[in-house]
mmCIF file of all heavy atoms in Angstrom:
data_model
loop_
_atom_site.group_PDB
_atom_site.id
_atom_site.type_symbol
_atom_site.label_atom_id
_atom_site.label_comp_id
_atom_site.label_asym_id
_atom_site.label_seq_id
_atom_site.Cartn_x
_atom_site.Cartn_y
_atom_site.Cartn_z
ATOM 1 N N TRP A 1 -56.424 -16.880 -7.403
ATOM 2 C CA TRP A 1 -55.478 -15.936 -7.989
ATOM 3 C C TRP A 1 -55.184 -14.835 -6.984
ATOM 4 O O TRP A 1 -56.109 -14.278 -6.380
ATOM 5 C CB TRP A 1 -56.026 -15.311 -9.276
ATOM 6 C CG TRP A 1 -55.985 -16.217 -10.469
ATOM 7 C CD1 TRP A 1 -57.003 -16.973 -10.958
ATOM 8 C CD2 TRP A 1 -54.866 -16.447 -11.327
ATOM 9 N NE1 TRP A 1 -56.596 -17.663 -12.068
ATOM 10 C CE2 TRP A 1 -55.286 -17.364 -12.326
ATOM 11 C CE3 TRP A 1 -53.554 -15.970 -11.357
ATOM 12 C CZ2 TRP A 1 -54.436 -17.809 -13.339
ATOM 13 C CZ3 TRP A 1 -52.708 -16.418 -12.360
ATOM 14 C CH2 TRP A 1 -53.155 -17.320 -13.329
ATOM 15 N N PHE A 2 -53.911 -14.536 -6.814
ATOM 16 C CA PHE A 2 -53.436 -13.480 -5.937
ATOM 17 C C PHE A 2 -52.440 -12.613 -6.693
ATOM 18 O O PHE A 2 -51.910 -13.015 -7.722
ATOM 19 C CB PHE A 2 -52.747 -14.057 -4.694
ATOM 20 C CG PHE A 2 -53.638 -14.854 -3.785
ATOM 21 C CD1 PHE A 2 -54.032 -16.136 -4.115
ATOM 22 C CD2 PHE A 2 -54.062 -14.324 -2.574
ATOM 23 C CE1 PHE A 2 -54.838 -16.884 -3.274
ATOM 24 C CE2 PHE A 2 -54.871 -15.063 -1.715
ATOM 25 C CZ PHE A 2 -55.260 -16.336 -2.067
ATOM 26 N N ARG A 3 -52.166 -11.440 -6.149
ATOM 27 C CA ARG A 3 -51.090 -10.624 -6.694
ATOM 28 C C ARG A 3 -50.312 -9.984 -5.551
ATOM 29 O O ARG A 3 -50.813 -9.844 -4.437
ATOM 30 C CB ARG A 3 -51.610 -9.548 -7.659
ATOM 31 C CG ARG A 3 -52.434 -8.455 -7.006
ATOM 32 C CD ARG A 3 -53.004 -7.528 -8.068
ATOM 33 N NE ARG A 3 -53.786 -6.451 -7.492
ATOM 34 C CZ ARG A 3 -54.512 -5.588 -8.196
ATOM 35 N NH1 ARG A 3 -54.544 -5.680 -9.527
ATOM 36 N NH2 ARG A 3 -55.199 -4.635 -7.579
ATOM 37 N N GLN A 4 -49.084 -9.576 -5.856
ATOM 38 C CA GLN A 4 -48.206 -9.036 -4.831
ATOM 39 C C GLN A 4 -47.306 -7.961 -5.415
ATOM 40 O O GLN A 4 -46.755 -8.111 -6.506
ATOM 41 C CB GLN A 4 -47.357 -10.147 -4.221
ATOM 42 C CG GLN A 4 -46.511 -9.724 -3.038
ATOM 43 C CD GLN A 4 -45.825 -10.903 -2.383
ATOM 44 O OE1 GLN A 4 -45.443 -11.862 -3.054
ATOM 45 N NE2 GLN A 4 -45.668 -10.842 -1.070
ATOM 46 N N VAL A 5 -47.156 -6.871 -4.678
ATOM 47 C CA VAL A 5 -46.208 -5.817 -5.023
ATOM 48 C C VAL A 5 -45.120 -5.817 -3.963
ATOM 49 O O VAL A 5 -45.328 -6.290 -2.842
ATOM 50 C CB VAL A 5 -46.890 -4.441 -5.118
ATOM 51 C CG1 VAL A 5 -47.947 -4.441 -6.208
ATOM 52 C CG2 VAL A 5 -47.514 -4.054 -3.778
ATOM 53 N N PRO A 6 -43.940 -5.283 -4.274
ATOM 54 C CA PRO A 6 -42.844 -5.292 -3.307
ATOM 55 C C PRO A 6 -43.221 -4.641 -1.983
ATOM 56 O O PRO A 6 -43.834 -3.580 -1.949
ATOM 57 C CB PRO A 6 -41.744 -4.492 -4.021
ATOM 58 C CG PRO A 6 -42.021 -4.709 -5.468
ATOM 59 C CD PRO A 6 -43.519 -4.733 -5.576
ATOM 60 N N GLY A 7 -42.850 -5.304 -0.885
ATOM 61 C CA GLY A 7 -43.091 -4.765 0.440
ATOM 62 C C GLY A 7 -44.466 -5.033 1.009
ATOM 63 O O GLY A 7 -44.757 -4.605 2.133
ATOM 64 N N LYS A 8 -45.319 -5.731 0.270
ATOM 65 C CA LYS A 8 -46.655 -6.024 0.746
ATOM 66 C C LYS A 8 -46.966 -7.508 0.608
ATOM 67 O O LYS A 8 -46.318 -8.225 -0.153
ATOM 68 C CB LYS A 8 -47.693 -5.212 -0.032
ATOM 69 C CG LYS A 8 -47.625 -3.718 0.205
ATOM 70 C CD LYS A 8 -48.766 -2.994 -0.491
ATOM 71 C CE LYS A 8 -48.717 -1.499 -0.201
ATOM 72 N NZ LYS A 8 -48.915 -1.225 1.256
ATOM 73 N N GLY A 9 -47.957 -7.956 1.361
ATOM 74 C CA GLY A 9 -48.385 -9.331 1.276
ATOM 75 C C GLY A 9 -49.212 -9.589 0.030
ATOM 76 O O GLY A 9 -49.570 -8.671 -0.703
ATOM 77 N N ARG A 10 -49.508 -10.832 -0.194
ATOM 78 C CA ARG A 10 -50.311 -11.190 -1.348
ATOM 79 C C ARG A 10 -51.757 -10.731 -1.181
ATOM 80 O O ARG A 10 -52.350 -10.864 -0.109
ATOM 81 C CB ARG A 10 -50.248 -12.695 -1.590
ATOM 82 C CG ARG A 10 -48.954 -13.141 -2.282
ATOM 83 C CD ARG A 10 -49.006 -14.612 -2.624
ATOM 84 N NE ARG A 10 -48.721 -15.437 -1.462
ATOM 85 C CZ ARG A 10 -47.556 -16.025 -1.228
ATOM 86 N NH1 ARG A 10 -46.558 -15.884 -2.082
ATOM 87 N NH2 ARG A 10 -47.397 -16.761 -0.136
ATOM 88 N N GLU A 11 -52.324 -10.216 -2.256
ATOM 89 C CA GLU A 11 -53.677 -9.680 -2.276
ATOM 90 C C GLU A 11 -54.586 -10.633 -3.047
ATOM 91 O O GLU A 11 -54.304 -10.974 -4.195
ATOM 92 C CB GLU A 11 -53.685 -8.296 -2.928
ATOM 93 C CG GLU A 11 -55.048 -7.656 -3.067
ATOM 94 C CD GLU A 11 -54.989 -6.346 -3.819
ATOM 95 O OE1 GLU A 11 -54.201 -6.255 -4.792
ATOM 96 O OE2 GLU A 11 -55.710 -5.413 -3.429
ATOM 97 N N PHE A 12 -55.676 -11.034 -2.428
ATOM 98 C CA PHE A 12 -56.611 -11.951 -3.066
ATOM 99 C C PHE A 12 -57.356 -11.277 -4.203
ATOM 100 O O PHE A 12 -57.820 -10.137 -4.074
ATOM 101 C CB PHE A 12 -57.611 -12.489 -2.040
ATOM 102 C CG PHE A 12 -58.716 -13.312 -2.639
ATOM 103 C CD1 PHE A 12 -58.468 -14.570 -3.162
ATOM 104 C CD2 PHE A 12 -60.009 -12.825 -2.681
ATOM 105 C CE1 PHE A 12 -59.481 -15.335 -3.711
ATOM 106 C CE2 PHE A 12 -61.035 -13.575 -3.222
ATOM 107 C CZ PHE A 12 -60.768 -14.835 -3.742
ATOM 108 N N LEU A 13 -57.518 -11.995 -5.309
ATOM 109 C CA LEU A 13 -58.214 -11.473 -6.473
ATOM 110 C C LEU A 13 -59.493 -12.248 -6.787
ATOM 111 O O LEU A 13 -60.569 -11.658 -6.924
ATOM 112 C CB LEU A 13 -57.305 -11.508 -7.701
ATOM 113 C CG LEU A 13 -55.990 -10.748 -7.595
ATOM 114 C CD1 LEU A 13 -55.164 -10.985 -8.854
ATOM 115 C CD2 LEU A 13 -56.243 -9.272 -7.367
ATOM 116 N N ALA A 14 -59.359 -13.563 -6.944
ATOM 117 C CA ALA A 14 -60.489 -14.371 -7.385
ATOM 118 C C ALA A 14 -60.218 -15.837 -7.103
ATOM 119 O O ALA A 14 -59.069 -16.247 -6.930
ATOM 120 C CB ALA A 14 -60.752 -14.170 -8.881
ATOM 121 N N ALA A 15 -61.285 -16.645 -7.077
ATOM 122 C CA ALA A 15 -61.124 -18.068 -6.826
ATOM 123 C C ALA A 15 -62.302 -18.852 -7.384
ATOM 124 O O ALA A 15 -63.406 -18.328 -7.548
ATOM 125 C CB ALA A 15 -60.991 -18.344 -5.332
ATOM 126 N N VAL A 16 -62.045 -20.122 -7.668
ATOM 127 C CA VAL A 16 -63.076 -21.108 -8.002
ATOM 128 C C VAL A 16 -62.998 -22.190 -6.944
ATOM 129 O O VAL A 16 -61.939 -22.766 -6.720
ATOM 130 C CB VAL A 16 -62.870 -21.713 -9.403
ATOM 131 C CG1 VAL A 16 -64.002 -22.681 -9.714
ATOM 132 C CG2 VAL A 16 -62.794 -20.628 -10.459
ATOM 133 N N LYS A 17 -64.120 -22.484 -6.303
ATOM 134 C CA LYS A 17 -64.125 -23.423 -5.201
ATOM 135 C C LYS A 17 -63.989 -24.861 -5.681
ATOM 136 O O LYS A 17 -64.391 -25.197 -6.795
ATOM 137 C CB LYS A 17 -65.404 -23.259 -4.374
ATOM 138 C CG LYS A 17 -65.347 -23.851 -2.988
ATOM 139 C CD LYS A 17 -66.594 -23.490 -2.198
ATOM 140 C CE LYS A 17 -66.508 -24.013 -0.777
ATOM 141 N NZ LYS A 17 -67.695 -23.639 0.017
ATOM 142 N N GLN A 18 -63.429 -25.713 -4.825
ATOM 143 C CA GLN A 18 -63.288 -27.128 -5.143
ATOM 144 C C GLN A 18 -64.657 -27.790 -5.320
ATOM 145 O O GLN A 18 -65.610 -27.465 -4.611
ATOM 146 C CB GLN A 18 -62.492 -27.844 -4.033
ATOM 147 C CG GLN A 18 -63.152 -27.854 -2.668
ATOM 148 C CD GLN A 18 -62.913 -26.576 -1.878
ATOM 149 O OE1 GLN A 18 -62.142 -25.717 -2.305
ATOM 150 N NE2 GLN A 18 -63.567 -26.446 -0.729
ATOM 151 N N ASN A 19 -64.732 -28.718 -6.266
ATOM 152 C CA ASN A 19 -65.959 -29.472 -6.523
ATOM 153 C C ASN A 19 -67.188 -28.587 -6.653
ATOM 154 O O ASN A 19 -68.278 -28.939 -6.217
ATOM 155 C CB ASN A 19 -66.179 -30.499 -5.413
ATOM 156 C CG ASN A 19 -65.067 -31.514 -5.328
ATOM 157 O OD1 ASN A 19 -64.655 -32.076 -6.346
ATOM 158 N ND2 ASN A 19 -64.572 -31.759 -4.126
ATOM 159 N N SER A 20 -67.014 -27.436 -7.275
ATOM 160 C CA SER A 20 -68.083 -26.456 -7.351
ATOM 161 C C SER A 20 -67.844 -25.512 -8.516
ATOM 162 O O SER A 20 -66.711 -25.327 -8.963
ATOM 163 C CB SER A 20 -68.166 -25.664 -6.045
ATOM 164 O OG SER A 20 -69.118 -24.626 -6.129
ATOM 165 N N ALA A 21 -68.921 -24.915 -8.990
ATOM 166 C CA ALA A 21 -68.822 -23.870 -10.002
ATOM 167 C C ALA A 21 -68.799 -22.482 -9.374
ATOM 168 O O ALA A 21 -68.732 -21.483 -10.088
ATOM 169 C CB ALA A 21 -69.985 -23.975 -10.986
ATOM 170 N N SER A 22 -68.855 -22.424 -8.047
ATOM 171 C CA SER A 22 -68.897 -21.152 -7.343
ATOM 172 C C SER A 22 -67.613 -20.367 -7.558
ATOM 173 O O SER A 22 -66.513 -20.899 -7.423
ATOM 174 C CB SER A 22 -69.115 -21.377 -5.852
ATOM 175 O OG SER A 22 -70.358 -22.006 -5.608
ATOM 176 N N LYS A 23 -67.765 -19.085 -7.874
ATOM 177 C CA LYS A 23 -66.647 -18.187 -8.075
ATOM 178 C C LYS A 23 -66.723 -17.042 -7.081
ATOM 179 O O LYS A 23 -67.801 -16.578 -6.726
ATOM 180 C CB LYS A 23 -66.629 -17.648 -9.500
ATOM 181 C CG LYS A 23 -66.487 -18.731 -10.561
ATOM 182 C CD LYS A 23 -66.572 -18.152 -11.955
ATOM 183 C CE LYS A 23 -66.469 -19.246 -13.003
ATOM 184 N NZ LYS A 23 -66.585 -18.703 -14.380
ATOM 185 N N TYR A 24 -65.559 -16.576 -6.653
ATOM 186 C CA TYR A 24 -65.475 -15.506 -5.675
ATOM 187 C C TYR A 24 -64.513 -14.446 -6.175
ATOM 188 O O TYR A 24 -63.486 -14.755 -6.767
ATOM 189 C CB TYR A 24 -65.005 -16.052 -4.326
ATOM 190 C CG TYR A 24 -65.868 -17.166 -3.789
ATOM 191 C CD1 TYR A 24 -65.622 -18.487 -4.133
ATOM 192 C CD2 TYR A 24 -66.941 -16.891 -2.948
ATOM 193 C CE1 TYR A 24 -66.426 -19.516 -3.659
ATOM 194 C CE2 TYR A 24 -67.743 -17.907 -2.466
ATOM 195 C CZ TYR A 24 -67.486 -19.215 -2.823
ATOM 196 O OH TYR A 24 -68.284 -20.227 -2.347
ATOM 197 N N TYR A 25 -64.849 -13.184 -5.913
ATOM 198 C CA TYR A 25 -64.033 -12.071 -6.372
ATOM 199 C C TYR A 25 -63.817 -11.066 -5.256
ATOM 200 O O TYR A 25 -64.720 -10.793 -4.470
ATOM 201 C CB TYR A 25 -64.683 -11.365 -7.557
ATOM 202 C CG TYR A 25 -64.774 -12.209 -8.800
ATOM 203 C CD1 TYR A 25 -65.934 -12.905 -9.117
ATOM 204 C CD2 TYR A 25 -63.692 -12.311 -9.668
ATOM 205 C CE1 TYR A 25 -66.016 -13.677 -10.254
ATOM 206 C CE2 TYR A 25 -63.763 -13.085 -10.808
ATOM 207 C CZ TYR A 25 -64.930 -13.767 -11.100
ATOM 208 O OH TYR A 25 -65.004 -14.540 -12.237
ATOM 209 N N SER A 26 -62.617 -10.517 -5.236
ATOM 210 C CA SER A 26 -62.331 -9.418 -4.331
ATOM 211 C C SER A 26 -62.921 -8.132 -4.884
ATOM 212 O O SER A 26 -62.987 -7.935 -6.100
ATOM 213 C CB SER A 26 -60.822 -9.260 -4.157
ATOM 214 O OG SER A 26 -60.504 -8.046 -3.516
ATOM 215 N N SER A 27 -63.320 -7.238 -3.994
ATOM 216 C CA SER A 27 -63.871 -5.958 -4.414
ATOM 217 C C SER A 27 -62.845 -5.081 -5.123
ATOM 218 O O SER A 27 -63.225 -4.150 -5.837
ATOM 219 C CB SER A 27 -64.444 -5.201 -3.213
ATOM 220 O OG SER A 27 -63.445 -4.943 -2.248
ATOM 221 N N VAL A 28 -61.572 -5.360 -4.944
ATOM 222 C CA VAL A 28 -60.538 -4.553 -5.587
ATOM 223 C C VAL A 28 -60.518 -4.741 -7.099
ATOM 224 O O VAL A 28 -59.910 -3.941 -7.806
ATOM 225 C CB VAL A 28 -59.139 -4.859 -5.012
ATOM 226 C CG1 VAL A 28 -59.137 -4.687 -3.506
ATOM 227 C CG2 VAL A 28 -58.677 -6.255 -5.400
ATOM 228 N N MET A 29 -61.179 -5.769 -7.596
ATOM 229 C CA MET A 29 -61.191 -6.040 -9.033
ATOM 230 C C MET A 29 -62.102 -5.102 -9.805
ATOM 231 O O MET A 29 -61.961 -4.957 -11.021
ATOM 232 C CB MET A 29 -61.619 -7.484 -9.290
ATOM 233 C CG MET A 29 -60.671 -8.516 -8.710
ATOM 234 S SD MET A 29 -59.040 -8.462 -9.493
ATOM 235 C CE MET A 29 -58.152 -7.379 -8.367
ATOM 236 N N ARG A 30 -63.057 -4.488 -9.134
ATOM 237 C CA ARG A 30 -63.974 -3.526 -9.741
ATOM 238 C C ARG A 30 -64.708 -4.096 -10.957
ATOM 239 O O ARG A 30 -65.067 -3.366 -11.873
ATOM 240 C CB ARG A 30 -63.231 -2.254 -10.122
ATOM 241 C CG ARG A 30 -62.570 -1.542 -8.962
ATOM 242 C CD ARG A 30 -61.790 -0.328 -9.436
ATOM 243 N NE ARG A 30 -61.182 0.407 -8.344
ATOM 244 C CZ ARG A 30 -59.987 0.146 -7.847
ATOM 245 N NH1 ARG A 30 -59.265 -0.850 -8.328
ATOM 246 N NH2 ARG A 30 -59.504 0.879 -6.852
ATOM 247 N N GLY A 31 -64.935 -5.413 -10.984
ATOM 248 C CA GLY A 31 -65.641 -6.040 -12.075
ATOM 249 C C GLY A 31 -64.834 -6.217 -13.340
ATOM 250 O O GLY A 31 -65.380 -6.646 -14.363
ATOM 251 N N ARG A 32 -63.545 -5.924 -13.306
ATOM 252 C CA ARG A 32 -62.721 -5.974 -14.507
ATOM 253 C C ARG A 32 -62.082 -7.328 -14.764
ATOM 254 O O ARG A 32 -61.649 -7.598 -15.886
ATOM 255 C CB ARG A 32 -61.627 -4.907 -14.435
ATOM 256 C CG ARG A 32 -62.137 -3.475 -14.385
ATOM 257 C CD ARG A 32 -60.985 -2.477 -14.282
ATOM 258 N NE ARG A 32 -60.251 -2.611 -13.025
ATOM 259 C CZ ARG A 32 -58.983 -2.975 -12.930
ATOM 260 N NH1 ARG A 32 -58.274 -3.235 -14.025
ATOM 261 N NH2 ARG A 32 -58.400 -3.066 -11.740
ATOM 262 N N PHE A 33 -61.986 -8.157 -13.743
ATOM 263 C CA PHE A 33 -61.325 -9.453 -13.869
ATOM 264 C C PHE A 33 -62.345 -10.577 -13.765
ATOM 265 O O PHE A 33 -63.358 -10.451 -13.087
ATOM 266 C CB PHE A 33 -60.287 -9.647 -12.760
ATOM 267 C CG PHE A 33 -59.093 -8.743 -12.820
ATOM 268 C CD1 PHE A 33 -59.015 -7.697 -13.735
ATOM 269 C CD2 PHE A 33 -58.021 -8.938 -11.957
ATOM 270 C CE1 PHE A 33 -57.908 -6.858 -13.791
ATOM 271 C CE2 PHE A 33 -56.916 -8.107 -11.998
ATOM 272 C CZ PHE A 33 -56.854 -7.075 -12.909
#
């Protein structure tokens, strides 16, 4: 999952890895997502 605001590139939010239960989060989420 990514997000984007006008004039900026896409910002990484979170991911689930292939063939895995591993999840990854960006620090910008502050534990809310």
